[in-house]
Amino acid sequence: MKLYLIRHGESETNLAGHYTGWSQVNLTPKGVRDAEGIRPTLEGIKFDKIFSSDLIRAMKTAETAIPGCVYETSPLLREINLGSLAHKPFLPADSEERKLTVDGFTAFGGESNAEFRARATEFLDKVKTLDCDTVAAFTHAGFLRTTLSILFSANVNTTNFVCSNCCIVILELKNGKWLLSGLINPQ
């Protein structure tokens, strides 16, 4: 089985340099173009099942990248819950508030990293049970990084993995284990 994890196109909060989390925000015009830009890559692939985060930016990306697609929404694919940081500008790396985010966003009423990892693991386990050859999941940068961290026992973060809008991570399930099969990171 192959699993295509696809980040959404540029959102209004991405453009503004603000945290988003579980907020419902739209794609920018560039975000729509981002999704249109990956359409040729996804066109020739017969997806047996398509999932999307239930957040608007991911659903709109799915609808634009694969016109007419039928997808199932899943809150498991959401970005990490940032609590009260949603819609606020990114915190400077050396700020006292930023130091509180080391293990997630519980200090702000959001999720811990452990809760987020459990949610990503639950989604991967769900996909393993499907009788499918090829699955797509439209999701978020944090979900992609967290999934890669889980699968490869590594600290995949914003400094060591640039996850552009509409980045595609391709995983392949072989002998019960997920392997990294490909990466398309549009700039």
Side-chain angles (χ1 to χ4, degrees):
M1 169 192 298
K2 281 194 175 179
L3 171 61
Y4 289 70
L5 294 174
I6 305 156
R7 183 186 179 196
H8 62 80
E10 181 185 72
S11 70
E12 295 166 340
T13 48
N14 292 150
L15 179 62
H18 292 179
Y19 289 107
T20 311
W22 287 8
S23 298
Q24 292 287 16
V25 297
N26 287 310
L27 296 177
T28 63
K30 181 188 178 303
V32 173
R33 289 191 305 275
D34 293 339
E36 290 169 344
I38 62 169
R39 188 180 297 159
T41 302
L42 302 176
E43 255 175 355
I45 303 168
K46 182 194 172 298
F47 291 106
D48 300 307
K49 182 84 174 170
I50 300 173
F51 292 95
S52 176
S53 159
D54 60 349
L55 300 175
I56 291 169
R57 58 197 185 271
M59 293 187 297
K60 292 295 182 192
T61 301
E63 294 163 6
T64 304
I66 308 174
C69 72
V70 175
Y71 57 87
E72 177 182 327
T73 59
S74 175
L76 295 175
L77 288 166
R78 285 182 179 181
E79 181 60 273
I80 192 167
N81 182 352
L82 303 169
S84 63
L85 286 181
H87 290 279
K88 292 188 177 170
F90 294 133
L91 298 170
D94 60 349
S95 72
E96 290 304 312
E97 281 183 306
R98 182 69 176 264
K99 292 175 186 170
L100 296 173
T101 67
V102 166
D103 191 36
F105 297 88
T106 54
F108 304 95
E111 276 181 298
S112 69
N113 289 338
E115 291 168 320
F116 191 31
R117 290 172 68 89
R119 203 164 31 85
T121 300
E122 185 178 344
F123 178 77
L124 291 171
D125 289 346
K126 176 181 179 174
V127 171
K128 278 183 177 182
T129 68
L130 300 175
D131 184 22
C132 294
D133 291 326
T134 312
V135 176
F138 289 84
T139 187
H140 308 271
F143 189 92
L144 290 176
R145 288 186 185 104
T146 296
T147 298
L148 292 174
S149 293
I150 293 165
L151 296 179
F152 305 112
S153 302
N155 182 16
V156 180
N157 57 46
T158 58
T159 57
N160 63 21
F161 178 61
V162 175
C163 184
S164 302
N165 292 107
C166 287
C167 171
I168 303 170
V169 172
I170 306 164
L171 302 174
E172 192 164 357
L173 186 62
K174 286 192 175 182
N175 300 319
K177 293 187 180 203
W178 291 106
L179 307 171
L180 181 62
S181 176
L183 172 66
I184 302 167
N185 210 351
Q187 295 298 320

